[in-house]
Amino acid sequence: MKLTLTGATVALLLSSSALLANDSVHEAIANPAQMALPTMDYANTRYSQLDQINRDNVADLRVAWTFSTGVLRGHEGAPLVIGDVMYVHTPFPNNVFALDLNDNGRIIWRYEPVQDPSVIAVMCCDTVNRGLAYADGMIFLPQADTTVVALDAKSGEVKWSTKIGDPAIGETLTMATMPVKDKLMVGISGGEYGVRGRVTALNLADGSVAWKAWSTGPDEELLVDPEATTHLGKPIGADSSINSWEGDQWKIGGGSIWGWFAYDPDLNLFYYGTGNPSTWNAAQRPGDNKWSMTIMARDVDTGMAKWFYQMTPHDEWDYDGVNENILTDQEVDGQMRKLLTHFDRNGFAYTLDRETGELLVAEKFDPAVNWATEVVMDPDSDQYGRPQVVAQYSTEQNGEDENTTGVCPAALGTKDMQPAAFSPKTNVFYVPTNHVCMDYEPFRVAYTAGQPYVGATLSMFPAPESHGGMGNFIAWDNIKGEILWSNPEQFSVWSGALATAGDVVFYGTLEGYLKAVDAESGKELYRFKTPSGIIGNVMTYMHNDKQYIGVLSGVGGWAGIGLAAGLTGSTEGLGAVGGYAALADYTALGGQLTVFELPG
């Protein structure tokens, strides 16, 4: 495969049309010394053009400085760097620190929100926060209690504050926002509480609501045109969502949005995935449960949907579809295409045309995946685009109160929200993965607002007849749909990857290692043990002509929920506690930023 120029970074960020995006964001992300978005650019490549640290010298990395956040539990996301200031966030209570890079990380200002701690009880899988965003001289903080706050980047002063949800009914906010043009995109969490998922566009100037687009429900609330919005090239038709649910189940149907946004300024479309349908007991919600488990492409200005693709119709395993969508311009069959690549929780990696929604590739990115044999790729088949479910691993076909055993992947997926990276130098995707299977027993559950609406008991374990570990870090070809190399890990790789022009790829491990590997071969070049397990996303920046690597450590998230929340029952933490019990032998709670440099 071949990319024009330097791939997605040039195609999406440095084109003249990118100026139509928010100018301040464009200027910030065009400078590789800075980091203005949690995924580094609108295309979600997590690729840095910095090359001072490279495959020849990365083994010489040393710790430059550290910063304690003062908060325990899971530290997801990554700091931002704008000019000479670094912005660091924490899990609940979602404190923000502005650190002076010219003065040994002196705290310029701090923001400590006051939130009702009762929100912790309705946060599904730890009190995580996936990061800040920057635009127009403001830092945007998503708080657990569903409040979005705009802070003055220089002073920390609150410019505006908008609440977009209600924790009393199980709605929370863990995702990072995305500023684009004059709006700020934000989603809602709470699929395990029967919320109704939606994306909200706030006006950057004052935080007022510009529009909302729901994941389930009537067409006017979905923001669709039944004749123009398509699914695999065909109009979705009238009432596409409500016709796929029984009665009013769509009103508590999930489809929450807690992953990542991407944006193509040429098409003026932004992309995201929706989460699981509620409840986890599929027998209680007949139908395809549209539009949960769906990649959505929408117009930024109006929210109107151009196309959908539902990856796991009538989900029976909690395979949320919220993972990042990575945008690249690549050659397919001799023709340049605007592509979108998505590594789904369900274990399939998808490549689509991001302009039309055409499905080009759908292949397993872990050989252990067994719940489906394939995704049908024949456009003339009535099964086109649908996974072919294996009856043995169908939790619905096996029945309520029956334990379906040996399902791969587990509910936390072959990959959860930890973002992959793409290098235009190698034309390869670098993917942190889980190598975990599960037993899954659904049971009937009643909906009560603000109470768990799960309806399943799970246990998790390493994929059998494999390397014995629970994770792999892989290199993936999105055109051929195949693994190029795979590095086994003892535990799931719950850290976001970083690819650089120095031919090095970085990621963190649940035991707490920062690792650097060769972008071509996957050979390990460097490792360093940080004070706690890493579920943060590795980042890089340059200050005073010197490149630095930074990562948050602080074990937690779904995989580390046993440690983070002090849980011990094997089926607690939605099944993760027993599967990751051994993690306590390797790390402990923490909350620290570690920054690395080369000597001299």
Side-chain angles (χ1 to χ4, degrees):
M1 98 186 100
K2 178 177 65 177
L3 271 73
T4 57
L5 300 177
T6 57
T9 302
V10 166
L12 292 178
L13 303 182
L14 303 183
S15 67
S16 59
S17 63
L19 291 170
L20 297 175
N22 184 285
D23 288 348
S24 66
V25 180
H26 165 73
E27 293 170 1
I29 61 182
N31 179 359
Q34 302 189 117
M35 183 162 169
L37 296 176
T39 55
M40 302 187 68
D41 54 42
Y42 278 133
N44 286 351
T45 62
R46 292 193 53 78
Y47 173 77
S48 172
Q49 299 176 54
L50 299 180
D51 61 3
Q52 192 178 93
I53 297 170
N54 56 59
R55 62 158 62 107
D56 296 323
N57 61 25
V58 69
D60 297 327
L61 280 183
R62 67 184 185 187
V63 174
W65 57 280
T66 62
F67 177 77
S68 174
T69 67
V71 179
L72 301 179
R73 306 208 50 163
H75 282 60
E76 291 184 347
L80 302 183
V81 173
I82 303 296
D84 295 323
V85 180
M86 175 181 284
Y87 301 92
V88 180
H89 69 285
T90 78
F92 184 92
N94 306 135
N95 299 331
V96 180
F97 302 90
L99 307 181
D100 189 347
L101 297 177
N102 288 325
D103 191 7
N104 301 308
R106 177 181 63 88
I107 300 172
I108 302 171
W109 56 258
R110 70 183 79 201
Y111 175 70
E112 298 177 340
V114 177
Q115 299 184 71
D116 186 341
S118 65
V119 71
I120 295 174
V122 291
M123 298 187 77
C124 152
C125 310
D126 203 7
T127 60
V128 296
N129 181 291
R130 298 187 178 99
L132 310 168
Y134 168 84
D136 295 347
M138 292 180 285
I139 299 295
F140 301 99
L141 167 68
Q143 295 180 183
D145 65 0
T146 74
T147 302
V148 182
V149 181
L151 303 169
D152 185 280
K154 292 184 177 179
S155 67
E157 173 192 359
V158 175
K159 307 294 286 186
W160 53 257
S161 176
T162 302
K163 195 165 188 177
I164 64 163
D166 183 5
I169 62 171
E171 294 180 340
T172 55
L173 178 52
T174 59
M175 75 176 303
T177 63
M178 184 183 72
V180 56
K181 299 179 76 170
D182 61 347
K183 295 180 176 61
L184 185 73
M185 306 302 174
V186 60
I188 204 77
S189 304
E192 282 62 59
Y193 290 83
V195 308
R196 185 175 166 221
R198 60 195 177 275
V199 61
T200 302
L202 302 177
N203 290 307
L204 278 177
D206 59 9
S208 59
V209 175
W211 51 258
K212 293 182 182 179
W214 301 81
S215 302
T216 64
D219 292 345
E220 61 271 19
E221 295 182 1
L222 288 176
L223 298 188
V224 299
D225 180 335
E227 299 306 316
T229 302
T230 61
H231 180 259
L232 294 173
K234 296 180 179 180
I236 61 173
D239 300 323
S240 61
S241 176
I242 59 177
N243 287 342
S244 69
W245 295 84
E246 186 175 69
D248 288 341
Q249 183 74 24
W250 58 267
K251 294 182 178 179
I252 51 173
S256 56
I257 299 156
W258 52 270
W260 310 94
F261 295 113
Y263 172 59
D264 183 337
D266 292 328
L267 301 176
N268 199 41
L269 295 176
F270 77 104
Y271 307 87
Y272 62 94
T274 64
N276 62 285
S278 299
T279 153
W280 288 19
N281 179 6
Q284 288 188 239
R285 43 174 175 78
D288 278 355
N289 309 137
K290 295 180 170 68
W291 293 100
S292 65
M293 319 300 278
T294 298
I295 297 173
M296 296 188 166
R298 294 186 181 274
D299 182 275
V300 164
D301 299 316
T302 65
M304 185 63 65
K306 182 171 184 180
W307 59 260
F308 294 156
Y309 171 55
Q310 188 178 38
M311 295 160 290
T312 314
H314 189 60
D315 168 54
E316 305 174 42
W317 310 269
D318 183 44
Y319 292 153
D320 289 54
V322 302
N323 291 350
E324 74 284 355
N325 300 292
I326 302 174
L327 312 184
T328 58
D329 291 352
Q330 295 172 247
E331 187 177 283
V332 180
D333 296 330
Q335 179 184 358
M336 292 304 299
R337 305 286 291 268
K338 295 171 78 68
L339 302 182
L340 176 154
T341 298
H342 173 90
F343 299 93
D344 198 62
R345 285 256 292 266
N346 70 14
F348 286 84
Y350 300 86
T351 305
L352 299 96
D353 183 305
R354 68 176 180 271
E355 186 169 8
T356 65
E358 179 187 355
L359 181 63
L360 303 173
V361 178
E363 296 289 346
K364 298 175 183 180
F365 63 105
D366 185 342
V369 172
N370 64 14
W371 68 276
T373 56
E374 64 177 341
V375 173
V376 175
M377 298 299 293
D378 180 3
D380 295 327
S381 170
D382 64 357
Q383 294 295 298
Y384 177 42
R386 295 184 72 97
Q388 300 302 289
V389 175
V390 176
Q392 178 183 349
Y393 303 114
S394 169
T395 67
E396 181 172 16
Q397 292 182 51
N398 291 335
E400 292 179 333
D401 303 316
E402 294 293 331
N403 195 23
T404 298
T405 61
V407 182
C408 305
L412 43 68
T414 298
K415 192 180 86 64
D416 200 48
M417 58 73 233
Q418 59 272 37
F422 170 77
S423 170
K425 289 189 69 175
T426 60
N427 297 339
V428 169
F429 291 78
Y430 302 94
V431 192
T433 73
N434 310 311
H435 193 55
V436 186
C437 303
M438 67 176 173
D439 297 340
Y440 189 114
E441 183 175 338
F443 58 86
R444 193 151 289 263
V445 62
Y447 172 76
T448 302
Q451 298 299 312
Y453 188 50
V454 177
T457 300
L458 281 65
S459 59
M460 301 184 188
F461 43 85
E465 299 178 4
S466 184
H467 60 73
M470 302 178 73
N472 293 295
F473 187 76
I474 72 169
W476 178 260
D477 184 323
N478 72 319
I479 303 299
K480 295 180 179 179
E482 64 182 25
I483 297 171
L484 302 177
W485 50 257
S486 179
N487 292 349
E489 290 288 349
Q490 181 172 357
F491 297 102
S492 295
V493 187
W494 212 264
S495 159
L498 168 71
T500 74
D503 303 306
V504 180
V505 179
F506 296 89
Y507 66 97
T509 74
L510 275 174
E511 307 102 297
Y513 287 104
L514 173 74
K515 291 189 175 184
V517 300
D518 187 288
E520 293 281 356
S521 67
K523 177 184 177 182
E524 185 175 308
L525 303 173
Y526 175 79
R527 68 164 62 190
F528 180 88
K529 184 76 179 290
T530 66
S532 184
I534 297 175
I535 63 170
N537 305 330
V538 189
M539 54 86 68
T540 188
Y541 67 97
M542 182 170 280
H543 184 249
N544 290 337
D545 299 322
K546 189 169 188 175
Q547 184 183 357
Y548 296 87
I549 302 292
V551 68
L552 289 168
S553 62
V555 72
W558 192 356
I561 190 66
L563 281 172
L567 305 177
T568 58
S570 62
T571 61
E572 289 186 286
L574 299 175
V577 173
Y580 293 85
L583 187 57
D585 295 334
Y586 294 88
T587 192
L589 294 179
Q592 178 173 302
L593 169 69
T594 306
V595 178
F596 300 83
E597 66 177 1
L598 292 172

